[in-house]
Amino acid sequence: MTRRGFLVRSGLAVAVPIFVPAGALGRNGIVAPSERITLGAIGCGNRGLYDLGHFLHEPDVQCLAVCDCWQSRRQKGKGIVDDHHGNSNCKTHRFHEELLASEEIDAVLIATGDRWHAVMSILASRAGKDVYCEKPFCMTISEGRKLVETTQRFGTIWQCGTQRRSNSSYRFVADTVRKGAIGKLHTITMSFGGWGANGIARPEPVPAGFDYDRWLGQAPWVPYSPVRVQHWRQHWDTGAGPIADMGPHFIDTAQWAHDSEYSSAVEYEGQAEFPAGGFANVPSVINVQACYSDGVVIRMNSGNKGVRFDGDQGWIHVDDFGNITPKSMLRDLSVSGVSYHYMAGHVRNFLDCVRSRRQSVSGPEISHRSHTIAHCANLCLRLGRKLRWDPEGERFVNDDDANRMLARTMRTPWGL
Amino acid sequence: MMPTACSPGQCELPGAYEARQTLIMERNMNSRNMCRNLTVSVLLVALVSCAAFGESFTQSQIKEVLSDFGSYDYGKDPTLTHVIDKIVQFIGDKPRLRLSTEKQMVTLLESKVASRATKQFVCQQLWIIGSDESIPVLGRMLLDTETAEMACYALCSNPSSEVDRVLRYALDRVPDESKVCIINVLGDREDVASVDSLIGLIGAESPQVAQAVAKALGKIGGDKATETVKKARPTTSGDMRAVLTEAYLNCAEGYVDSKQPGKAFAIYTKLLDESESVLTRRAALVGALHTGDTRAADLLIATMQQDESILRSVAIANSAVLKGTDVTRRLITEFKTAAAPTQAQLIEALVQRDDPLVKDVVKAAARSKDASVRVAAYNALAEIGDTSTVALLCDALEKAVTSTEVDAVLSSLRRVEGEQISEAILDTISNASSPADTQLIQVISSRGYTPAVHRLLQLCRSEDIPVAKAALRAIGILASYQTMTRLLDVLAELQDRAVQSQALRATAAVINRSDSDREDIAQLIQERLGSTEDITVRCSLLQLLSAVPNEVSLRFLNAASEDSNLSVRDAAIRTLAEYPDPAAMDALLRVFLTSGNRAYRAVALRGCVRLLKAEGTSPEQSVRLYQQLAAHASTAAEKKLILSGLAIVQHSEALGIAQDLMSEDAVKTEAALALITIAHNTAALDPVRAGAAARLILEDLSHSTLHTQARTVIETIGGFVSIFDGRSFAGWEGNVAKTWRVEDGAITAGSLEGQAPRNEFLATTSEYEDFDLRLKFKITGNSRVNAGVQFRTERIPNHHEVSGYQADIGPGVDGHLYDESRRRRMLATPEAETLKKAQAAAGDDGWQTYRICAEGDHIRLWLNGVKTVDYVEKDTNISRTGIIALQIHGGMQAVIAYKDIEIRELPAPQ
């Protein structure tokens, strides 16, 4: 993967807005602007249905189809959609290709396992669909770059499910740091929570109504096991690990506050504990120190979820629920600092962008850059050594092993 | 449970996968039925246990690990895979160890007996560390469909050119099934030498192979590949066509990368043909504009003249990539004849060009007949505006009709940078008419232009009330201590009440910002108070005193609170009520206790309570003052106000005040609420009185929220302690090596795959006699479910069983009291109706609760909050103390989890 995107090449790192009337993409301009945005939902598990609920809550959304490799889940998804629209029109698909081939669909929601996010996002963009995709959106840095290039090429809107971008508390914290209210920023500390161990993945017959082959996707073939299917996040084959799981949220806030959304940290060093004995092979406890080129340090650990910024004149912390400390930071400012409903604003922003054709608040490039930090940290832990990253060339400096891990081969027939 | 018949679910799998799945299942079953041949040596156990701490390995240790790994398979203990992960880390910077390890890995890959799982895992390591050493064996593995994919995984990132050779060799010799992966890797490696072979496969019958070839050719690029893609495209449709189109676009990108923009541009031009889909044309347009080819500018302009609005928009949005004033000129020419929507888009694009030519165009656009063009122009002026455009914007503000336009102008005026801009805006104010004036004053204040204060001080005397008020608001934001004298002059001059109060707020705001000069300001205000007879002015000045609290200010207020003039008295009392210093308390108390005026009493009382709520008063002082206030409160409203403050006093004496007020019906609820809040806050300080208060609530009132709170207080006092930390087995003992584990914060045992071999118990290391125990449990799976919670139990020496009471869990025994290994019978069986109720009360998340209360001979069980057993032990020989232990029953094929285990030890009953 040596090809660089034209925007990077031409020095336009920031996505250029493209003014195209909504609904025109991939449909040869058939749509009236007042029409609802038609949605297809891929992935009807817990998170998928949670996201879908928020989409359906928006009055200008019409969900036309759902897709899942579990028969029962796609049926459940259809039930929710049909109940909402008061009809029985929602189509169900086992294969996302069918859903993406539907000319009626403007936008897709992708809330599958990690390994599918980039593959499906890219396929959807190629089909001219706009995409709301859960995080982590890529398994490797090369997947991330490819997604950025594809959305740029086809001018599709793509939003990462990093809904804290649309949360007033997180916005407040980022603004506060940017304005210099804590003085000169020197350290960012983020905690992702600890991950446990689990049992041994013993092979079992594939249950009825489950397309295991689809479920696996790009991951190397291994026999079905309930432990694997339940705990897929905890294996590098199927998930991107704890840093890439919560990192996209908190790293995104860090990039935002540090005003480096189009770059990444350049040095990574750390240790991890890996759970012994069980199926899991991603770290359970992590401790990584990354460093930006200006010397600002990012510390990542497994404490209670949240992110804290330390400057030479103060600090500010926001937890997973949007609670801000210290309270003195909130004085005279119009932010409640208490928990708030994350999703609505984020989904709304995506839908507005589908209409205005401007790239969303969690667009491809900035999401790719924050995911890059997570993946660099991952590779630093997997290789057990300090890594140096060149955010311009998007390669590790003097580490061939790490550079090999920028991409990996996908199982047939999947590929980018 | 052997997978013999083809169930519907399995039929969803492609045949090959199903066959492989079944094969592995069978092999796994066999290996499990045999005595599991775990050759993990003591050495390895030691290695694993230190796996977390960056250990080191010798060559012979590595050899032993890898040789043991030969017997690994799916479903076996994966410990060795974790060790190998560590080995790969360790050998990273040790070339000799890398090579010897790789050789060991090669041996495993060549082994006839090593499982697929072993080889697959090894390939995943070679992805990271593989060198030339492993290429020959991987090359052979490519030829076997069973191992081709894992070999691709190992080879894909290996930089050796030998990799490309073995891939090409295999490509010509493997069936379609293996080709796709090999082609993908060749494509990702951009292997030019494979183009000839790939070209031969572009027409492959298998669509998967053909599409993979197309993709690979696109990634590799070059004349040959491009020519093939170009030729293949017209004859295809559907997916293949889409893949070829993208490949063609990629070929073009390849030409740009290799500095042949002309060739790239030719491809894009071809894809811009009207016969192509809009999606393709858009992508081609974006690509073409970014080629750097000299014809790109012509294309940009030509596209703008096209009918297709999407392409026009795309062209405009990407126009910034074409630099130079010549392009700017051409865009401006287009602008002049373009339709309104295009003009609006063009303005945004033009502004990005950073070209001085653009300004005049934007200025003209600000006078466009079309509102969307005007709005775009206003937004643009925020970026490129100067003093000469201020008048234009101010003019636009007056003429604007829609709120969108007004907002755009105001936002632009706020954002244009430069001090002169602020001055220019300020200049406009005198000339414009009223509505715009107030808006412009707001703009000035949000620009933070402090030199405007002088002018604002004139404007605040305007007869136009909105303007005067806006000016005062701005003064409040911009002015500093230096303007205080003049502000006080203004305050003395103003006639309109609304303007006066705005002036007062502005003055207070300025004082609040002038921390260091507060004493000077105090003196200033006090001097004026001493010299002014005008009642209105006196009142205003008195009100300002709360912003400058000191002894003198308080003396003024005290005196004024008894002034003969009603207005002055009123102002003083109200100011005292808002006075920030507790020193005002005496004065307020005096007013409250002595004034006959009900309104004054209310104001004074509110002030007292506010001061008491603020920090700085000790709980003892607070209690004393509240006693005094309560004694003199006459109306219900007053009492409610007192209770609202009393509730947060952290002193148990406060309970008495609230309790007294509970006897009055009019304030009974408020008093109870205060009482329970105080009890909650003082539970730790004085548990006896807090408990008594909580019990009083339970007895005296029938308010469900208050009852809940009261029970919480009683529980807090009761002192439940957690005996499981959610992470470790600290305080517990049992077979934690095999049976018990901590998962997701719960003590967990059992699996869905196999039966529990025998009864196992995880027991507390402490014994408990009389207690109230609460815990949650959850069962996943439904095969032979049986578990339970032992209490007053003992372990049977040298045996896995225990003996004692058990709160049973399982179908048919839920909520029962059983005597385990002792009398071996149910001691108490709940009614069917009760059980049904208990089961219905279970949470939706699968977690159920047990409460076990053992007091003397009295034993009670609650399942999901429903009492199922109320039992009295008649046999005095039965032990009344013992461990608590969690059970998994032998034969159970399900998962049992316990968590949130809390206990409150009870004093022995009298």
Side-chain angles (χ1 to χ4, degrees):
Chain A
M1 302 279 161
T2 54
R3 230 11 93 64
R4 305 305 325 285
F6 42 74
L7 284 189
V8 173
R9 196 172 52 223
S10 60
L12 295 176
V14 185
V16 183
I18 297 186
F19 327 77
V20 180
L25 288 169
R27 307 214 273 131
N28 295 324
I30 301 167
V31 166
S34 62
E35 198 181 315
R36 288 182 181 187
I37 294 166
T38 52
L39 182 77
I42 308 178
C44 301
N46 284 342
R47 184 70 198 180
L49 294 182
Y50 175 76
D51 289 348
L52 179 59
H54 284 277
F55 272 92
L56 293 177
H57 180 72
E58 300 296 325
D60 54 348
V61 168
Q62 181 92 28
C63 183
L64 299 182
V66 294
C67 174
D68 201 294
C69 54
W70 289 91
Q71 192 186 16
S72 57
R73 289 188 178 185
R74 52 183 183 262
Q75 284 309 324
K76 188 172 177 192
K78 173 182 164 62
I80 287 167
V81 172
D82 284 347
D83 275 358
H84 179 82
H85 292 312
N87 59 31
S88 58
N89 298 346
C90 181
K91 295 200 175 103
T92 56
H93 298 285
R94 189 168 121 201
F95 304 120
H96 57 269
E97 299 95 308
E98 291 171 6
L99 185 146
L100 293 178
S102 163
E103 295 226 333
E104 294 177 316
I105 289 174
D106 295 322
V108 293
L109 158 65
I110 299 174
T112 56
D114 297 354
R115 61 209 163 280
W116 272 117
H117 289 159
V119 175
M120 286 178 179
S121 286
I122 287 166
L123 288 174
S125 295
R126 277 177 188 158
K129 313 286 186 211
D130 296 328
V131 176
Y132 182 102
C133 181
E134 269 302 332
K135 48 91 235 179
F137 84 87
C138 53
M139 295 291 283
T140 60
I141 292 170
S142 113
E143 281 184 13
R145 176 48 65 198
K146 184 75 185 173
L147 181 274
V148 174
E149 290 177 1
T150 308
T151 54
Q152 281 170 354
R153 170 176 277 169
F154 293 106
T156 49
I157 303 305
W158 183 92
Q159 166 131 307
C160 190
T162 43
Q163 65 275 10
R164 283 161 187 77
R165 258 286 155 168
S166 299
N167 174 298
S168 55
S169 292
Y170 282 82
R171 183 179 306 122
F172 173 80
V173 169
D175 280 351
T176 303
V177 176
R178 281 185 137 185
K179 280 186 199 149
I182 59 166
K184 193 170 156 31
L185 175 68
H186 57 74
T187 308
I188 306 165
T189 310
M190 51 186 82
S191 308
F192 306 132
W195 284 27
N198 38 48
I200 290 169
R202 297 190 206 287
E204 276 192 24
V206 177
F210 179 44
D211 187 341
Y212 176 60
D213 179 54
R214 278 280 151 161
W215 182 88
L216 263 180
Q218 64 159 290
W221 190 87
V222 279
Y224 168 80
S225 158
V227 169
R228 182 178 301 278
V229 170
Q230 192 185 344
H231 300 291
W232 58 265
R233 277 193 177 80
Q234 291 178 293
H235 200 287
W236 295 123
D237 280 356
T238 42
I243 301 176
D245 189 60
M246 280 312 286
H249 290 303
F250 302 137
I251 296 170
D252 178 65
T253 313
Q255 293 266 86
W256 193 7
H258 179 247
D259 199 6
S260 55
E261 289 159 293
Y262 295 93
S263 187
S264 297
V266 295
E267 277 185 14
Y268 301 80
E269 210 170 358
Q271 304 84 37
E273 285 175 30
F274 291 82
F279 157 77
N281 71 353
V282 302
S284 51
V285 178
I286 59 119
N287 188 358
V288 177
Q289 177 162 321
C291 191
Y292 283 110
S293 57
D294 63 359
V296 170
V297 169
I298 304 178
R299 292 183 209 280
M300 308 180 189
N301 62 46
S302 301
N304 285 338
K305 290 173 187 173
V307 55
R308 172 181 161 128
F309 296 87
D310 279 278
D312 57 9
Q313 287 164 38
W315 59 275
I316 188 165
H317 175 266
V318 57
D319 73 8
D320 196 28
F321 307 102
N323 299 303
I324 292 170
T325 39
K327 291 290 167 212
S328 57
M329 278 288 173
L330 297 168
R331 205 173 289 154
D332 300 329
L333 295 162
S334 57
V335 163
S336 66
V338 294
S339 145
Y340 116 119
H341 206 46
Y342 283 141
M343 292 295 296
H346 208 52
V347 168
R348 189 63 249 166
N349 174 259
F350 170 70
L351 296 169
D352 289 345
C353 290
V354 168
R355 293 192 184 283
S356 72
R357 306 315 299 166
R358 280 158 203 276
Q359 205 46 275
S360 64
V361 286
S362 296
E365 184 73 36
I366 66 167
S367 302
H368 167 61
R369 295 296 185 160
S370 55
H371 279 67
T372 295
I373 293 178
H375 284 302
C376 288
N378 271 345
L379 295 185
C380 148
L381 294 178
R382 288 184 76 175
L383 291 169
R385 60 179 176 257
K386 182 173 179 172
L387 295 178
R388 288 189 23 239
W389 175 250
D390 166 18
E392 294 291 317
E394 299 207 298
R395 306 275 296 171
F396 290 100
V397 181
N398 296 331
D399 198 313
D400 294 337
D401 294 353
N403 279 327
R404 283 175 170 221
M405 298 169 92
L406 292 174
R408 69 187 206 197
T409 292
M410 297 185 181
R411 192 168 62 92
T412 306
W414 308 111
L416 294 179
Chain B
M1 51 174 279
M2 294 290 286
T4 45
C6 181
S7 68
Q10 284 172 294
C11 290
E12 290 196 358
L13 281 172
Y17 292 122
E18 189 191 321
R20 187 153 65 193
Q21 178 92 35
T22 310
L23 191 76
I24 283 157
M25 284 285 310
E26 282 169 359
R27 206 162 57 198
N28 189 261
M29 290 290 172
N30 292 338
S31 68
R32 250 198 291 165
N33 290 346
M34 291 185 294
C35 175
R36 219 190 289 157
N37 182 20
L38 275 180
T39 56
V40 183
S41 63
V42 176
L43 164 77
L44 288 183
V45 173
L47 284 176
V48 177
S49 59
C50 69
F53 309 109
E55 64 300 326
S56 64
F57 299 89
T58 64
Q59 189 175 341
S60 64
Q61 283 171 336
I62 295 172
K63 195 171 173 184
E64 191 165 348
V65 170
L66 287 172
S67 125
D68 283 345
F69 191 59
S71 59
Y72 173 70
D73 204 348
Y74 299 122
K76 283 198 179 177
D77 184 330
T79 298
L80 284 179
T81 64
H82 301 315
V83 178
I84 296 169
D85 280 338
K86 288 283 160 191
I87 290 173
V88 168
Q89 282 192 0
F90 176 70
I91 63 174
D93 56 353
K94 301 173 185 66
R96 282 183 50 213
L97 273 183
R98 269 179 93 122
L99 189 61
S100 64
T101 306
E102 190 177 1
K103 282 183 174 166
Q104 284 281 315
M105 289 182 169
V106 169
T107 312
L108 283 173
L109 293 180
E110 282 169 339
S111 158
K112 292 269 188 300
V113 290
S115 68
R116 182 185 192 278
T118 297
K119 292 182 181 181
Q120 184 177 41
F121 184 79
V122 164
C123 283
Q124 291 184 311
Q125 306 312 307
L126 290 173
W127 168 51
I128 308 169
I129 58 157
S131 70
D132 279 333
E133 189 67 28
S134 54
I135 295 175
V137 65
L138 292 168
R140 289 193 292 280
M141 286 169 72
L142 287 174
L143 301 173
D144 179 349
T145 49
E146 182 67 15
T147 52
E149 246 176 47
M150 61 177 82
C152 282
Y153 198 109
L155 291 168
C156 72
S157 300
N158 185 328
S160 168
S161 62
E162 187 59 13
V163 169
D164 303 302
R165 203 190 60 75
V166 297
L167 286 167
R168 290 194 299 266
Y169 179 86
L171 181 61
D172 297 335
R173 289 166 180 79
V174 297
D176 285 356
E177 200 184 333
S178 303
K179 276 197 171 80
V180 175
C181 198
I182 293 172
I183 295 166
N184 282 344
V185 176
L186 282 167
D188 286 340
R189 295 174 67 87
E190 298 176 22
D191 177 40
V192 179
S194 65
V195 169
D196 285 335
S197 300
L198 291 172
I199 287 174
L201 290 167
I202 188 87
E205 231 171 86
S206 153
Q208 288 185 343
V209 172
Q211 287 180 21
V213 167
K215 277 191 210 168
L217 288 174
K219 288 173 187 166
I220 299 166
D223 292 347
K224 251 186 188 172
T226 307
E227 196 56 31
T228 309
V229 171
K230 179 181 164 187
K231 272 204 192 122
R233 267 187 88 240
T235 60
T236 56
S237 60
D239 286 349
M240 185 62 183
R241 168 93 175 190
V243 170
L244 280 164
T245 303
E246 206 187 4
Y248 205 23
L249 288 164
N250 281 338
C251 288
E253 280 299 292
Y255 281 130
V256 178
D257 281 338
S258 60
K259 307 272 184 287
Q260 302 179 69
K263 286 184 175 177
F265 198 82
I267 294 174
Y268 288 130
T269 311
K270 200 167 158 46
L271 290 174
L272 272 163
D273 190 87
E274 282 177 26
S275 62
E276 302 289 346
S277 75
V278 173
L279 194 64
T280 302
R281 294 171 71 198
R282 298 181 42 172
L285 180 58
V286 174
L289 295 176
H290 285 78
T291 51
D293 188 272
T294 46
R295 289 165 290 175
D298 292 340
L299 175 65
L300 171 69
I301 302 302
T303 311
M304 293 194 48
Q305 292 162 350
Q306 273 194 6
D307 293 339
E308 187 59 75
S309 71
I310 298 171
L311 293 181
R312 264 202 321 268
S313 301
V314 172
I316 295 169
N318 287 275
S319 62
V321 74
L322 300 170
K323 311 273 184 228
T325 206
D326 180 51
V327 176
T328 313
R329 268 183 231 282
R330 295 178 71 180
L331 285 170
I332 291 171
T333 310
E334 290 308 312
F335 177 86
K336 288 178 179 148
T337 55
T342 305
Q343 281 193 332
Q345 294 169 14
L346 257 175
I347 289 171
E348 199 169 329
L350 283 168
V351 167
Q352 287 177 30
R353 303 191 65 79
D354 203 14
D355 189 320
L357 287 177
V358 172
K359 194 175 284 177
D360 283 339
V361 179
V362 175
K363 278 160 94 171
R367 298 195 178 85
S368 165
K369 286 192 185 113
D370 184 276
S372 68
V373 175
R374 289 198 302 271
V375 167
Y378 302 150
N379 286 330
L381 286 173
E383 309 285 335
I384 58 167
D386 55 28
T387 40
S388 75
T389 55
V390 168
L392 190 151
L393 283 169
C394 293
D395 188 40
L397 187 62
E398 267 188 74
K399 292 182 184 146
V401 187
T402 65
S403 63
T404 318
E405 240 180 303
V406 172
D407 290 349
V409 173
L410 289 175
S411 136
S412 191
L413 282 170
R414 277 193 292 265
R415 284 160 56 209
V416 203
E417 284 174 20
E419 288 249 311
Q420 302 90 332
I421 304 280
S422 301
E423 201 52 47
I425 296 171
L426 203 55
D427 281 346
T428 332
I429 294 175
S430 50
N431 312 324
S433 71
S434 164
D437 276 358
T438 58
Q439 288 166 327
L440 290 174
I441 291 170
Q442 276 171 32
V443 167
I444 292 288
S445 84
S446 58
R447 290 178 66 88
Y449 185 58
T450 49
V453 171
H454 179 76
R455 174 100 178 81
L456 290 168
L457 281 165
Q458 297 167 348
L459 285 168
C460 73
R461 293 177 168 94
S462 163
E463 281 175 21
D464 186 330
I465 304 252
V467 168
K469 284 170 77 177
L472 283 163
R473 256 196 303 275
I475 290 170
I477 291 164
L478 299 174
S480 67
Y481 151 73
Q482 279 83 10
T483 44
M484 191 46 65
T485 323
R486 298 185 57 196
L487 256 175
L488 293 176
D489 292 344
V490 169
L491 207 56
E493 288 168 33
L494 291 171
Q495 298 301 317
D496 184 273
R497 278 195 86 88
V499 182
Q500 258 177 12
S501 71
Q502 188 66 56
L504 214 51
R505 276 200 290 277
T507 315
V510 175
I511 296 172
N512 283 334
R513 263 206 319 281
S514 320
D515 246 348
S516 51
D517 305 302
R518 216 167 270 222
E519 281 302 311
D520 294 347
I521 298 173
Q523 211 178 339
L524 211 59
I525 296 171
Q526 289 151 8
E527 277 167 19
R528 296 245 174 163
L529 260 175
S531 63
T532 310
E533 290 303 320
D534 184 291
I535 296 295
T536 320
V537 178
R538 283 184 65 85
C539 289
S540 294
L541 292 169
L542 281 169
Q543 287 178 59
L544 286 175
L545 287 175
S546 70
V548 285
N550 64 14
E551 250 177 76
V552 184
S553 295
L554 199 57
R555 211 164 339 116
F556 269 105
L557 285 167
N558 257 325
S561 70
E562 288 168 334
D563 199 281
S564 56
N565 183 290
L566 211 63
S567 300
V568 172
R569 204 155 72 205
D570 192 83
I573 291 171
R574 285 178 197 281
T575 306
L576 280 168
E578 282 163 22
Y579 204 74
D581 195 305
M585 184 68 80
D586 289 344
L588 289 167
L589 203 58
R590 176 174 49 75
V591 174
F592 177 66
L593 299 182
T594 60
S595 173
N597 182 317
R598 185 175 278 190
Y600 289 167
R601 279 172 60 96
V603 169
L605 180 61
R606 197 166 301 125
C608 285
V609 171
R610 187 184 54 76
L611 286 175
L612 283 169
K613 278 182 175 175
E615 288 160 34
T617 322
S618 74
E620 289 77 18
Q621 268 178 311
S622 295
V623 165
R624 227 172 342 97
L625 285 163
Y626 276 116
Q627 273 162 350
Q628 220 173 338
L629 292 173
H632 287 83
S634 53
T635 67
E638 287 174 356
K639 288 170 186 164
K640 285 178 187 174
L641 191 60
I642 290 169
L643 284 163
S644 77
L646 184 68
I648 61 164
V649 176
Q650 304 238 7
H651 198 291
S652 55
E653 291 289 327
L655 291 166
I657 307 172
Q659 216 165 310
D660 286 346
L661 286 168
M662 255 179 81
S663 58
E664 297 183 30
D665 281 342
V667 295
K668 192 179 179 85
T669 314
E670 288 79 5
L673 193 61
L675 184 66
I676 199 62
T677 311
I678 301 163
H680 186 265
N681 292 337
T682 58
L685 301 171
D686 191 345
V688 178
R689 292 194 64 176
R695 275 189 288 277
L696 181 73
I697 299 278
L698 288 176
E699 288 159 15
D700 208 34
L701 278 156
S702 56
H703 191 289
S704 67
T705 316
L706 289 177
H707 273 206
T708 313
Q709 288 173 332
R711 275 192 292 272
T712 311
V713 169
I714 290 169
E715 274 176 31
T716 313
I717 294 162
F720 273 88
V721 287
S722 173
I723 53 173
F724 166 52
D725 63 13
R727 284 177 288 122
S728 74
F729 290 116
W732 296 82
E733 57 83 21
N735 191 350
V736 296
K738 283 189 182 159
T739 306
W740 299 98
R741 59 190 185 272
V742 177
E743 249 176 36
D744 299 324
I747 294 174
T748 310
S751 83
L752 298 171
E753 295 95 56
Q755 299 187 355
R758 64 181 192 193
N759 276 356
E760 283 285 0
F761 296 87
L762 184 75
T764 56
T765 48
S766 310
E767 296 201 340
Y768 299 90
E769 193 165 5
D770 289 296
F771 59 84
D772 188 350
L773 172 74
R774 286 146 200 236
L775 57 84
K776 289 184 181 159
F777 68 92
K778 180 177 178 172
I779 298 154
T780 315
N782 51 19
S783 175
R784 310 182 63 177
V785 170
N786 192 320
V789 181
Q790 295 288 141
F791 56 96
R792 292 184 173 177
T793 290
E794 60 181 359
R795 277 207 182 272
I796 300 171
N798 302 319
H799 202 281
H800 59 272
E801 296 285 3
V802 299
S803 151
Y805 292 112
Q806 181 185 107
D808 222 331
I809 297 172
V813 295
D814 267 341
H816 290 49
L817 181 65
Y818 179 69
D819 210 26
E820 175 87 10
S821 296
R822 191 161 53 187
R823 286 165 284 186
R824 297 174 200 274
R825 62 178 167 82
M826 283 297 168
L827 300 176
T829 304
E831 299 289 344
E833 201 60 28
T834 311
L835 266 183
K836 217 188 264 174
K837 228 160 84 188
Q839 277 147 356
D844 292 336
D845 56 0
W847 287 99
Q848 305 194 58
T849 63
Y850 239 135
R851 178 179 170 199
I852 300 166
C853 216
E855 286 179 272
D857 57 3
H858 193 186
I859 291 168
R860 287 168 296 168
L861 305 182
W862 285 262
L863 181 63
N864 300 320
V866 177
K867 195 192 314 181
T868 57
V869 166
D870 198 330
Y871 172 78
V872 176
E873 183 61 69
K874 301 264 169 54
D875 188 343
T876 50
N877 291 323
I878 295 288
S879 170
R880 286 196 182 170
T881 183
I883 54 172
I884 288 163
L886 309 171
Q887 184 196 32
I888 176 166
H889 202 284
M892 168 158 144
Q893 188 169 341
V895 176
I896 176 78
Y898 301 94
K899 68 170 184 181
D900 298 350
I901 308 167
E902 291 182 335
I903 197 162
R904 176 164 67 113
E905 291 189 74
L906 305 171
Q910 302 299 310

